[in-house]
Amino acid sequence: MNFKGSYDFGNLATLKNYTEVEGFQPRFDNCLALTAYNDQQILVLTLTGQLLLVKNSLSACLKQLCQHYRIYSYEMDVYYRLAECRTQGLIAGNYRLVPSQGTSNPHVVYYNAHFIDSKTYSKERYRVLLTMDNGQGDFFQLYIDASYRSFVRILSAAERVSKYQLQKVEVEMRRLGMVKATPGWQGSQEVFQYQRDTDQFNDWLYSTLILAVVTAAFENSYGEKPDASFSESVYNVLMMVGRKSRAFIKKR
């Protein structure tokens, strides 16, 4: 391992060797972690281990990232409801920008989980300790001031959301003939059961995402949430997906 440095994001006063810049936009592929430095600046650890003090608020930065990758709040709401977690990250398949704790916490650190090589808890510093692999042969250590139990719970939920998204893509690719069955497995009961379950899940997810959009539009137009009969009516319109997915929806 080629260790390049150690960074304590739980004590920003120790991170002084930074460069002040304007206009840098953190993305899934150009940084390891970021956090609010103050109301108007964020501290970013780039993929090469450089610290940048960027003139931008954390909320504005995250909004810009969502716009760049087309990550929509109504979509994240549905996926995280499935994952049974209130603390949401920004997830786009294999890309996962995850908060270290509750997003309203002023000390929250967002880290790109797809670069994690290992995680543990440092009893010496009382910090979550991440070893990050930038994919270029360089490793970095990040110390984050957070409850390890909560940290793992939030990270696990983000991984489930990623799985749900990729599963949805897999179903669409199979439907469009872009994915073929593995040789020797065609017609097997295991593959049939898996495809049936993922198809039903995808139908339920598709219906739920559309209902979330329609519900948001209803609230914006009428200033109140639609009643149960309206939601049921929307589901009925979407029921062309078949009776089996209907049963799956009711189970959820």
Side-chain angles (χ1 to χ4, degrees), residues 19-200:
T19 302
E20 293 192 45
V21 298
E22 186 176 359
F24 178 82
Q25 174 58 48
R27 300 192 309 267
F28 289 129
D29 59 357
N30 67 359
C31 71
L32 298 174
L34 62 143
T35 190
Y37 194 77
N38 53 44
D39 291 341
Q40 300 299 322
Q41 292 175 303
I42 56 174
L43 189 65
V44 180
L45 177 63
T46 70
L47 210 58
T48 57
Q50 185 179 8
L51 284 170
L52 300 179
L53 191 60
V54 182
K55 188 177 180 180
N56 201 2
S57 68
L58 180 60
S59 59
C61 170
L62 297 177
K63 182 178 180 180
Q64 290 159 6
L65 189 144
C66 286
Q67 292 172 341
H68 180 80
Y69 289 99
R70 298 180 181 176
I71 299 173
Y72 304 108
S73 59
Y74 69 85
E75 236 183 329
M76 288 296 99
D77 289 344
V78 172
Y79 282 120
Y80 269 94
R81 195 174 80 198
L82 275 172
E84 299 180 335
C85 182
R86 294 183 178 181
T87 305
Q88 298 184 8
L90 305 182
I91 316 298
N94 287 322
Y95 287 140
R96 306 182 302 280
L97 184 66
V98 184
S100 58
Q101 52 223 91
T103 54
S104 62
N105 191 308
H107 304 295
V108 63
V109 176
Y110 283 82
Y111 59 94
N112 272 322
H114 44 282
F115 291 119
I116 291 180
D117 180 73
S118 65
K119 63 182 183 299
T120 187
Y121 187 78
S122 171
K123 295 181 179 180
E124 181 178 336
R125 298 199 189 187
Y126 301 102
R127 301 269 199 274
V128 174
L129 172 58
L130 298 181
T131 299
M132 311 286 280
D133 177 2
N134 70 355
Q136 302 170 11
D138 300 324
F139 291 81
F140 306 86
Q141 288 192 317
L142 272 67
Y143 291 92
I144 298 175
D145 188 10
S147 160
Y148 187 72
R149 182 177 179 179
S150 295
F151 182 93
V152 171
R153 176 179 55 81
I154 296 169
L155 176 58
S156 297
E159 291 170 347
R160 290 196 296 277
V161 169
S162 173
K163 178 182 176 183
Y164 297 145
Q165 288 183 335
L166 294 173
Q167 184 172 296
K168 181 174 181 291
V169 172
E170 178 191 344
V171 169
E172 286 301 301
M173 291 179 69
R174 192 172 69 247
R175 183 178 68 85
L176 297 173
M178 298 173 67
V179 175
K180 304 297 183 182
T182 304
W185 282 80
Q186 290 98 331
S188 72
Q189 183 62 33
E190 291 85 354
V191 170
F192 175 78
Q193 181 67 41
Y194 172 75
Q195 291 184 354
R196 187 181 65 178
D197 291 346
T198 53
D199 285 346
Q200 290 183 17

Side-chain angles (χ1 to χ4, degrees), residues 193-243:
Q193 181 67 41
Y194 172 75
Q195 291 184 354
R196 187 181 65 178
D197 291 346
T198 53
D199 285 346
Q200 290 183 17
F201 169 80
N202 200 53
D203 290 339
W204 175 84
L205 184 60
Y206 174 76
S207 301
T208 305
L209 288 172
I210 290 179
L211 179 62
V213 175
V214 173
T215 299
F218 188 99
E219 289 186 55
N220 288 338
S221 299
Y222 302 106
E224 61 182 8
K225 291 185 178 181
D227 58 22
S229 62
F230 177 84
S231 300
E232 184 66 26
S233 177
V234 174
Y235 271 132
N236 289 337
V237 172
L238 297 170
M239 280 302 95
M240 65 180 68
V241 294
R243 287 180 294 178

